[in-house]
Amino acid sequence: MYELIREAIISMKLLPGAPIPEKEICEALGTSRTPLREAIIQLAAENLVVVRPSGGTFVNLIVVHEVLDGQVTRDTLEKRLVRLAARRFTSAASSQFEISLFQQKKAAERRDIDEFFALDNGFHKMICDCSGFPSAWRTLHSATGQLDRIRRYALPKGDHFVDSLKEHTEIFHHLQNRDEDAAVTAFQVHIDSLFHEVDLISQLDPDMVSAASHVTIADIR
């Protein structure tokens, strides 16, 4: 239930500001409201939904401050994991990354947003696995919901499929060569594309974004 609603929010099937139709969801899935309420509590903790005291649950706007919270998590925790993954990289891991990159290439050619985004996340999960700290993926996953909406939104715009695949390929090559510094540098370039993506959604769909924040993009660049 949680992953189902989360995916609908990340993919913009449930747009920012939209109500969460609890009754319809329960009827469609043939379930009680208890698991739905549990999912809503978890999603509220990730700031993906807002439960209003006056009644009703709504998809949260894309809050720039919370997007940047996720960016800082990636810029610290995941960067460390990239370094460890390069240090501990094995030949067994190499084939898994190669398969992922091949699948990403095919999804990019089809411009299949859902498949490519899932493979994108899978690539980063493999970095966690390779680092020796696979459970760190749960921390990254729960901390980057707001950021993931930006990432997914940007995919079909411009050359983001091509850019992401190219950046993933470069990260992989440095991991494979066990070049820690080069892998970290390539990863930094990859995640810093977020700043352009925030600007993009702010320009194209400003109604989806809440810019109210004491932290701005300029503060962490």
Side-chain angles (χ1 to χ4, degrees):
M1 179 76 75
Y2 157 77
E3 288 290 353
L4 185 67
I5 300 174
R6 189 183 191 277
E7 192 280 330
I9 293 171
I10 299 299
S11 66
M12 304 285 190
K13 293 181 178 74
L14 286 172
L15 291 171
I20 301 292
E22 295 188 21
K23 183 178 179 181
E24 289 84 346
I25 290 174
C26 291
E27 288 177 352
L29 297 178
T31 187
S32 70
R33 291 203 175 189
T34 299
L36 176 58
R37 294 286 168 80
E38 291 173 350
I40 285 172
I41 289 171
Q42 195 169 351
L43 292 164
E46 295 179 20
N47 296 312
L48 289 174
V49 302
V50 176
V51 181
R52 294 182 181 168
S54 57
T57 302
F58 297 82
V59 178
N60 200 1
L61 294 178
I62 295 173
V63 183
V64 172
H65 183 191
E66 292 165 5
V67 172
L68 298 180
D69 279 346
Q71 180 73 354
V72 168
T73 300
R74 297 192 78 192
D75 205 12
T76 51
L77 174 59
E78 192 171 0
K79 189 187 294 183
R80 170 64 67 177
L81 296 171
V82 168
R83 183 172 294 280
L84 291 173
R87 188 177 303 170
R88 299 175 174 180
F89 199 85
T90 65
S91 56
S94 187
S95 61
Q96 296 175 355
F97 278 93
E98 288 171 348
I99 291 170
S100 173
L101 289 169
F102 175 78
Q103 292 172 329
Q104 289 176 53
K105 181 176 182 293
K106 293 303 180 183
E109 290 171 353
R110 295 192 301 273
R111 297 188 70 81
D112 188 323
I113 302 170
D114 290 334
E115 183 179 357
F116 189 92
F117 189 74
L119 290 166
D120 186 321
N121 277 338
F123 178 87
H124 290 279
K125 184 177 183 298
M126 282 194 290
I127 290 175
C128 295
D129 294 341
C130 195
S131 75
F133 294 92
S135 62
W137 174 249
R138 292 198 297 271
T139 302
L140 288 167
H141 184 66
S142 63
T144 55
Q146 286 271 13
L147 184 152
D148 281 351
R149 288 201 285 180
I150 296 276
R151 289 175 52 225
R152 194 188 182 288
Y153 173 91
L155 261 181
K157 312 290 193 278
D159 294 323
H160 280 78
F161 281 109
V162 174
D163 293 342
S164 291
L165 179 58
K166 180 180 178 181
E167 290 160 5
H168 284 173
T169 301
E170 184 170 358
I171 292 168
F172 163 63
H173 286 157
H174 294 313
L175 293 175
Q176 192 176 39
N177 292 330
R178 297 187 180 181
D179 188 333
E180 297 179 27
D181 290 339
V184 167
T185 298
F187 173 75
Q188 188 72 63
V189 170
H190 179 53
I191 65 169
D192 279 356
S193 63
L194 169 85
F195 301 120
H196 169 68
E197 292 162 2
V198 172
D199 290 337
L200 183 68
I201 194 171
S202 298
Q203 293 168 11
L204 297 181
D205 288 294
D207 292 342
M208 293 186 181
V209 180
S210 170
S213 171
H214 61 275
V215 179
T216 67
I217 290 175
D219 291 326
I220 70 167
R221 289 193 84 159

